[in-house]
Amino acid sequence: MGEVTAAARHGGSDGPGIPALRCVDLAKHYPSRRRQPTVMALRGVSFEVPAGSTFGVVGESGCGKSTLARLLVGLEAPTSGAVEIAGRRVDTGPRSDRRALARRIQLVFQDPFSSLDPRMPVARALDEVLRFHHLHDDRRDERVVELLDMVALGGRFARRYPHELSGGQAQRVAIARALAVEPQVLVLDEPTSALDVSVRAEIMNLLVRIQDELRLSYLFISHDLSMVRHVSDDIAVMYLGRVVEVGRYDAVLDAPMHPYTRALADAVPVPDPDAKRTSHEARAVSHGGRADPPPEPASARDVDDEHACAFLPRCPVAERVCGERAPRLAPAAAGHEVSCHVASAAAGLGPADR
Ligand code: ADP
Ligand code: MG
């Protein structure tokens, strides 16, 4: 196991109160193609991740989780809104600053093999990253072994090619490569979903240990509430490109307010009057979000959530106002926000209008 000295810690250096990661009104629209309407993959998402904490993001397939991940790490530019890392916007300022800022946040994908070059042995994949960023130039070989130790693989994996790795080992390499640039934030997009059930806990434990040792902040994405519940400090629930509920993990889990969150928490079926159009969504809800991903959810395209609640077609508690005005995220209890007219009214706050 690699010794991690205080000097090797990546996080915790930006002053008290400055969130590690923040996004403000982030939106992503994919323009229409082949007579298909525009896809509103993200529709105004705002939240912040305190330094050293884990922010869980949960929601069924197609709700915009991976789009959010790509925007956060700069793989794609938002249609509008902004991303801040350690209090600094990533899209303004001199180029060298932006590059240094971009290094602070790294993405770990669901499929580890998708991020590894099949022709490149593990050591070279790590070495390339170090070389590109001029890190540890005088001791790169040593550093590669340290990184492999950090993910509990060890130097004997250095010469292996991706096809000689199990899924779990490949994900460890992908994590080591993300760590190579000494980031402060890891965006983990369903990092165990593609792995055998037997190795999921190992990878989760590894991620928790690394976070602790390096004082990293995590944005942990999953379609499965039961995955994020054990690791998250805060949880955001997404539905069709919006955050519909967000708060401390225990508030969201113990007292879920949005009917969609309740369905995810209880894994109970949600009646679906519009069963034809949203049948795969209904299945996803009734199985706690664990349905097979639909090829391409039609719903992200054609929901008009300006004039009615986007969850209305599936909502078991909807009232008239839900078909008249779209709710907006509003505080409903200490450290707990919800976007639901009915839940806000129940909390004594009146309809959750803009
Ligand atoms: P999730 O990760 O939650 O399953 P995604 O972020 O992958 O969701 O997708 C959100 C929505 O955006 C889906 O409707 C998806 O089909 C659409 N989408 C994602 N990427 C693109 C793209 N490059 N072009 C067009 N539509 C996209
Ligand atoms: Mg995804």
Side-chain angles (χ1 to χ4, degrees):
M1 207 66 48
E3 266 276 297
V4 181
T5 62
R9 286 181 177 148
H10 307 165
S13 57
D14 293 300
I18 297 179
L21 176 65
R22 189 161 97 101
C23 59
V24 184
D25 218 13
L26 212 51
K28 183 68 181 181
H29 303 166
Y30 292 108
S32 55
R33 264 183 330 199
R34 281 181 265 115
R35 276 177 283 127
Q36 300 273 17
T38 298
V39 179
M40 317 270 270
L42 278 190
R43 304 169 184 243
V45 167
S46 304
F47 58 78
E48 55 183 64
V49 181
S53 74
T54 297
F55 190 86
V57 174
V58 68
E60 65 203 14
S61 181
C63 72
K65 305 181 298 296
S66 295
T67 302
L68 172 66
R70 291 193 298 271
L71 298 186
L72 292 175
V73 303
L75 280 178
E76 285 179 26
T79 306
S80 59
V83 176
E84 283 176 17
I85 297 169
R88 281 152 63 200
R89 276 181 70 142
V90 298
D91 57 339
T92 55
R95 206 165 131 173
S96 56
D97 284 8
R98 277 184 281 151
R99 203 177 307 151
L101 214 50
R103 230 186 70 191
R104 291 173 170 229
I105 185 164
Q106 295 293 311
L107 176 59
V108 174
F109 296 89
Q110 176 173 359
D111 174 8
F113 293 104
S114 72
S115 60
L116 298 174
D117 184 336
R119 296 158 306 181
M120 212 182 266
V122 166
R124 228 184 96 205
L126 297 174
D127 185 71
E128 280 217 333
V129 176
L130 296 174
R131 200 150 37 104
F132 183 82
H133 291 282
H134 301 292
L135 290 163
H136 304 278
D137 271 340
D138 51 342
R139 53 183 289 277
R140 283 207 306 272
D141 291 349
E142 234 176 285
R143 182 62 182 160
V144 165
V145 175
E146 278 174 16
L147 287 165
L148 290 172
D149 280 343
M150 226 182 268
V151 294
L153 282 177
R156 69 185 193 285
F157 281 83
R159 277 203 280 255
R160 296 237 191 137
Y161 284 85
H163 75 267
E164 298 169 311
L165 302 172
S166 70
Q169 290 164 350
Q171 194 60 301
R172 285 170 195 268
V173 172
I175 293 166
R177 205 178 49 174
L179 294 174
V181 304
E182 296 167 22
Q184 280 145 7
V185 184
L186 286 190
V187 175
L188 303 153
D189 188 359
E190 313 221 32
T192 65
S193 304
L195 306 179
D196 284 349
V197 175
S198 58
V199 300
R200 285 185 189 169
E202 280 175 29
I203 296 293
M204 289 303 289
N205 291 339
L206 174 77
L207 287 168
V208 169
R209 179 173 60 73
I210 287 171
Q211 177 176 37
D212 212 39
E213 287 179 358
L214 301 178
R215 296 204 192 141
L216 299 179
S217 311
Y218 283 173
L219 187 117
F220 190 98
I221 293 173
S222 177
H223 61 277
D224 186 349
L225 189 56
S226 64
M227 277 309 293
V228 301
R229 65 186 307 156
H230 300 298
V231 292
S232 301
D233 297 290
D234 300 281
I235 293 178
V237 179
M238 285 184 64
Y239 188 74
L240 289 184
R242 288 197 188 278
V243 172
V244 295
E245 181 159 2
V246 61
R248 300 286 306 168
Y249 82 99
D250 46 355
V252 173
L253 291 169
D254 298 344
M257 292 198 239
H258 197 286
Y260 178 63
T261 313
R262 271 188 248 141
L264 289 180
D266 302 344
V268 294
V270 172
D272 185 1
D274 196 5
K276 213 162 99 205
R277 204 191 70 199
T278 56
S279 59
H280 57 73
E281 291 177 73
R283 272 203 310 280
V285 167
S286 66
H287 294 147
R290 280 182 289 272
D292 288 334
E296 187 173 25
S299 37
R301 300 182 185 286
D302 49 26
V303 159
D304 167 18
D305 77 345
E306 295 304 317
H307 302 101
C309 175
F311 191 61
L312 180 62
R314 297 162 70 186
C315 187
V317 298
E319 292 174 5
R320 200 164 125 194
V321 61
C322 309
E324 294 169 347
R325 297 199 296 271
R328 288 294 175 263
L329 206 56
H336 195 166
E337 294 179 36
V338 67
S339 170
C340 169
H341 293 304
V342 178
S344 288
L349 298 165
D353 289 327
R354 235 187 254 266

